[in-house]
């Protein structure tokens, strides 16, 4: 007994003193407050709401399975929550509290408090969880946060995400994750044998994430959603002067709040299996034939290449035929009038009435590779670089593209189809908005941006090399686009009945199977 006493009190004193201190004093992470997100008018789009979380510290629990069973008798804990708890348990650090159940109700907290004395190692903490006040309205523009998964655990800095259970998954939330997240703090606390905090010995406060103000305007966003109604579709509105995205809509959307704490299997299956594909962001991921919306850019290509002038005219019988080929490429007007738009068509009429024959011939004379060279700077055929996730690049065809993608040569008939935005050509609504913005600003190019300012400090959209073209050529194309809306035979003349201002535009119909 004396030998053992000497060993414990003298020989191994420092070892047991260190172990005692480790059990008594703990270093706890203090997660930072995630930055808020506002629209350009100061309307709150993403905030943080207080929530109570039930967590378990394994080292403090005498019998983990018995404790979990006991907790299930007190509050409703689903099998999926238990499964995710065990997954998180496998990758936690020693003495780290592992979340088991989120968003405890007041009644559940009371039950746990009453039974606290027989639940060693069970912790109830207050934390801030992400909340999206407008839910579905900004689902594709903002994206959402979700619980950190196993793959993200390996990718994220472990020390930087101590005490944090959520991370940006998609959209603005993911793109600006580093900015929104902030910096973790910590505190040294003294605990009793059950792990209850007795006092705080030292505290280093966390640095909150930066608040973001976006170019998005909730009024424009709502107007776009209302205009689409129950239809599947996308709307993108860009300010040509700043590159700021005023609206980014894809319908139908979904309630982003469902994803914050882990969406249920039932809810996720409903979204995943819906024929409307609400999780698909049509504005930046949908790739569609642009149809006649590319005709104003084709007009600029013809003018700048010197192949046509604003006064150049060409015959329009309602169909077009390549030299030496008997096949007829029909104009859409042929099945309506039985003839073409007019005996002779100039650029203004070709844009206003969307004359296919005019652009069939222009495309043939330009050739597909020259078309590629003129259309690419407008933002077609490559990602625009907008500050969000999962943008697709579209397809701007060329002889090289077809050779590499399909191992086939390019045929003249395919050039004719590309001249009116059909065939292999694919664009996203975001690309078309960027291209129209370049047209509207007479060649000024900016990378489109959702972010307007960070903590009140303005953030400008990156400038790109401008497209240099003749002033007369810009005005000639504008004249045709103005006639689309205000001309007697413009393809969108119905719009002019309800507006009190002058507007330029271009309609387009894609042939999609």
């Amino acid at each position: 007994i004396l030998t053992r006493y000497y060993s414990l009190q003298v020989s191994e004193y420092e070892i047991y003193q260190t172990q005692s201190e480790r059990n008594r004093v703990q270093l706890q992470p203090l997660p930072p407050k995630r930055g808020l997100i506002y629209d350009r008018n100061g309307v709150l789009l993403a905030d943080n709401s207080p929530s109570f979380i039930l967590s378990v510290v394994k080292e403090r629990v005498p019998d983990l399975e018995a404790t979990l069973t006991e907790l299930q008798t007190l509050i409703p804990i689903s099998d999926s929550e238990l499964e995710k708890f065990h997954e998180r348990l496998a990758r936690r650090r020693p003495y780290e509290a592992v979340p088991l159940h989120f968003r405890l109700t007041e009644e559940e907290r009371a039950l746990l408090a009453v039974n606290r004395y027989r639940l060693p190692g069970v912790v109830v903490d207050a934390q801030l969880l992400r909340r999206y006040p407008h839910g579905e309205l900004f689902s594709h523009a903002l994206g959402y946060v979700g619980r950190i998964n196993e793959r993200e655990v390996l990718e994220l800095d472990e020390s930087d995400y101590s005490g944090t259970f959520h991370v940006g998954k998609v959209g603005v939330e993911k793109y600006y994750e580093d900015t929104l997240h902030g910096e973790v703090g910590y505190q040294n606390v003294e605990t009793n044998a059950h792990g209850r905090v007795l006092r705080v010995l030292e505290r280093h406060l966390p640095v909150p994430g930066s608040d973001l103000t976006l170019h998005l305007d909730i009024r424009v966003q709502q107007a776009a959603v209302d205009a689409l109604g129950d239809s599947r579709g996308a709307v993108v509105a860009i300010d040509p002067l700043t590159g700021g995205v005023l609206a980014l809509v894809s319908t139908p959307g979904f309630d982003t709040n469902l994803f914050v704490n882990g969406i249920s299997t039932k809810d996720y299956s409903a979204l995943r299996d819906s024929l409307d594909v609400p999780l698909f962001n049509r504005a930046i991921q949908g790739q569609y034939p642009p149809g006649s919306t590319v005709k104003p850019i084709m007009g600029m290509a013809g003018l700048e290449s010197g192949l046509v002038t604003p006064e150049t005219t060409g015959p329009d019988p309602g169909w077009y035929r390549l030299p030496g080929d008997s096949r007829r490429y029909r104009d859409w007007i042929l099945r309506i009038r039985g003839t073409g738009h007019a005996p002779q068509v100039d650029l203004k009429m070709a844009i206003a009435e969307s004359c296919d024959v005019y652009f069939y011939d222009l495309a043939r004379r330009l050739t597909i590779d020259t078309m590629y060279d003129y259309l690419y700077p407008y933002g077609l055929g490559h990602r625009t670089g907008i500050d969000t996730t999962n943008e697709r690049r579209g397809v701007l065809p060329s002889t090289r593209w077809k050779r590499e993608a399909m191992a086939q040569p390019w045929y003249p008939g395919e050039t004719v189809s590309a001249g009116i935005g059909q065939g292999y050509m694919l664009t996203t609504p975001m690309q078309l908005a960027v291209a129209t913005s370049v047209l509207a600003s007479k060649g000024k190019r900016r990378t489109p941006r959702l972010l307007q300012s960070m903590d009140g400090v303005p953030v400008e959209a990156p400038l790109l090399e401008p497209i240099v073209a003749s002033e007369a050529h810009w005005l000639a194309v504008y004249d045709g686009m103005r006639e689309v809306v205000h001309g007697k035979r413009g393809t969108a003349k119905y719009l002019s009945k309800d507006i009190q201002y002058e507007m330029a535009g271009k309609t387009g119909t894609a042939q999609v199977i």
Side-chain angles (χ1 to χ4, degrees):
I1 292 174
L2 289 174
T3 302
R4 183 59 175 156
Y5 180 82
Y6 182 85
S7 174
L8 292 173
Q9 294 294 332
V10 181
S11 301
E12 300 178 2
Y13 169 79
E14 292 185 358
I15 296 174
Y16 289 109
Q17 183 190 42
T18 302
Q19 290 182 1
S20 177
E21 285 296 315
R22 188 178 297 167
N23 290 332
R24 186 176 67 86
V25 179
Q26 288 186 30
L27 182 68
Q28 294 183 341
L30 296 175
K33 180 179 76 70
R34 193 171 181 86
L36 307 179
I37 303 177
Y38 300 89
D39 89 328
R40 66 190 296 115
N41 307 303
V43 177
L44 196 58
L45 305 183
D47 65 359
N48 305 300
S49 61
S51 177
F52 287 87
I53 299 174
L54 171 64
S55 303
V56 176
V57 182
K58 184 181 178 182
E59 285 77 7
R60 302 290 187 187
V61 180
D63 187 335
L64 181 60
E65 292 306 318
T67 300
L68 293 176
T69 303
E70 181 68 23
L71 287 171
Q72 283 184 295
T73 64
L74 296 174
I75 63 173
I77 298 175
S78 66
D79 292 338
S80 63
E81 284 180 312
L82 283 173
E83 183 180 345
K84 291 175 182 176
F85 169 77
H86 285 292
E87 289 176 1
R88 287 189 286 266
L89 196 66
R91 57 178 186 259
R92 65 155 182 78
R93 295 188 300 174
Y95 288 93
E96 183 178 33
V98 178
L100 172 61
H101 184 76
F102 293 82
R103 295 192 186 277
L104 289 168
T105 65
E106 190 172 343
E107 183 180 351
E108 289 170 346
R109 282 159 40 210
L111 282 169
L112 292 169
V114 169
N115 292 276
R116 183 178 180 180
Y117 69 96
R118 58 193 183 92
L119 295 171
V122 174
V123 182
V124 174
D125 284 325
Q127 286 205 346
L128 294 173
L129 292 182
R130 204 58 156 174
R131 184 177 72 95
Y132 302 100
H134 305 283
E136 189 171 325
L137 183 60
F138 289 94
S139 54
H140 292 290
L142 293 183
Y144 54 85
V145 301
R147 296 181 194 170
I148 297 173
N149 59 36
E150 190 170 354
R151 176 182 56 82
E152 289 162 339
V153 166
L154 301 175
E155 296 174 352
L156 296 172
D157 185 334
E158 185 179 356
S159 61
D160 198 29
Y161 279 81
S162 294
T164 300
F165 306 129
H166 298 81
V167 68
K169 297 287 186 176
V170 70
V172 169
E173 289 278 25
K174 181 174 182 180
Y175 191 91
Y176 289 106
E177 171 62 26
D178 292 343
T179 302
L180 289 165
H181 175 60
E183 297 179 16
V184 68
Y186 68 88
Q187 63 182 8
N188 277 314
V189 298
E190 184 178 4
T191 62
N192 62 18
H194 294 285
R196 312 298 182 199
V197 176
L198 300 177
R199 62 188 177 121
V200 177
L201 305 175
E202 181 186 14
R203 175 175 290 171
H204 293 266
L205 295 176
V207 178
S210 297
D211 293 340
L212 306 184
T213 299
L214 306 183
H215 285 283
L216 292 172
D217 189 318
I218 191 171
R219 300 165 300 176
V220 182
Q221 188 87 355
Q222 187 65 62
V225 170
D226 293 342
L228 287 171
D230 295 329
S231 302
R232 305 173 194 168
V235 173
V236 178
I238 294 179
D239 181 350
L241 298 178
T242 65
V245 178
L246 305 177
L248 193 156
V249 173
S250 175
T251 58
F254 57 94
D255 184 2
T256 43
N257 293 295
L258 295 173
F259 286 85
V260 174
N261 280 320
I263 189 169
S264 68
T265 302
K266 179 182 177 182
D267 288 339
Y268 184 73
S269 296
L271 293 173
R272 180 195 60 201
D273 301 334
S274 171
L275 293 177
D276 290 327
V277 202
L279 297 176
F280 183 61
N281 188 348
R282 292 172 168 84
I284 61 171
Q285 293 177 287
Q287 300 182 118
Y288 313 103
S292 298
T293 57
V294 300
K295 288 177 179 176
I297 308 175
M298 285 290 296
M300 281 298 299
L303 292 168
E304 284 297 300
S305 65
L307 292 176
V308 296
T309 69
E311 294 76 29
T312 301
T313 62
D316 178 16
W319 48 267
Y320 181 75
R321 202 158 56 192
L322 286 168
D325 189 353
S326 61
R327 177 181 175 179
R328 290 185 175 185
Y329 295 86
R330 293 176 297 173
D331 193 304
W332 65 272
I333 201 70
L334 185 64
R335 58 186 170 84
I336 298 174
R337 298 183 188 168
T339 183
H341 294 267
Q344 293 289 321
V345 175
D346 61 10
L347 179 63
K348 181 178 179 179
M349 179 183 287
I351 294 175
E353 299 186 26
S354 203
C355 175
D356 290 340
V357 171
Y358 183 95
F359 291 100
Y360 285 152
D361 186 62
L362 178 57
R364 178 190 66 82
R365 291 194 286 157
L366 278 169
T367 73
I368 191 62
D369 289 332
T370 305
M371 285 169 52
Y372 178 93
D373 293 339
Y374 275 102
L375 270 59
Y376 188 88
Y378 283 86
L380 305 183
H382 57 99
R383 296 182 181 89
T384 64
I386 183 172
D387 48 345
T388 187
T389 57
N390 302 325
E391 183 184 17
R392 300 178 74 177
R393 65 173 63 249
V395 175
L396 183 59
S398 65
T399 54
R400 178 181 175 181
W401 169 84
K402 191 180 180 188
R403 187 168 59 250
E404 293 178 351
M406 307 175 70
Q408 294 180 6
W410 187 266
Y411 298 104
E414 295 169 332
T415 303
V416 172
S417 296
I420 61 167
Q422 303 286 3
Y424 296 115
M425 190 180 294
L426 296 174
T427 61
T428 66
M430 176 59 68
Q431 287 175 328
L432 284 180
V434 168
T436 307
S437 176
V438 174
L439 270 175
S441 60
K442 296 181 180 177
K444 293 179 181 177
R445 300 168 63 219
R446 284 186 181 270
T447 301
R449 274 292 177 264
L450 290 163
L451 180 63
Q452 184 185 71
S453 66
M454 188 181 300
D455 284 334
V457 179
V459 178
E460 288 194 7
L463 274 170
L464 304 174
E465 186 178 347
I467 296 174
V468 179
S470 164
E471 176 77 7
H473 293 165
W474 293 118
L475 295 178
V477 170
Y478 289 178
D479 203 21
M481 295 180 73
R482 192 179 296 110
E483 282 289 297
V484 170
V485 180
H486 300 283
K488 292 182 179 179
R489 291 169 63 176
T491 52
K493 63 181 180 181
Y494 64 91
L495 286 177
S496 61
K497 297 178 182 178
D498 301 320
I499 59 176
Q500 304 300 316
Y501 48 85
E502 196 172 50
M503 175 181 174
K506 183 69 192 80
T507 59
T509 306
Q511 298 173 1
V512 181
I513 297 177

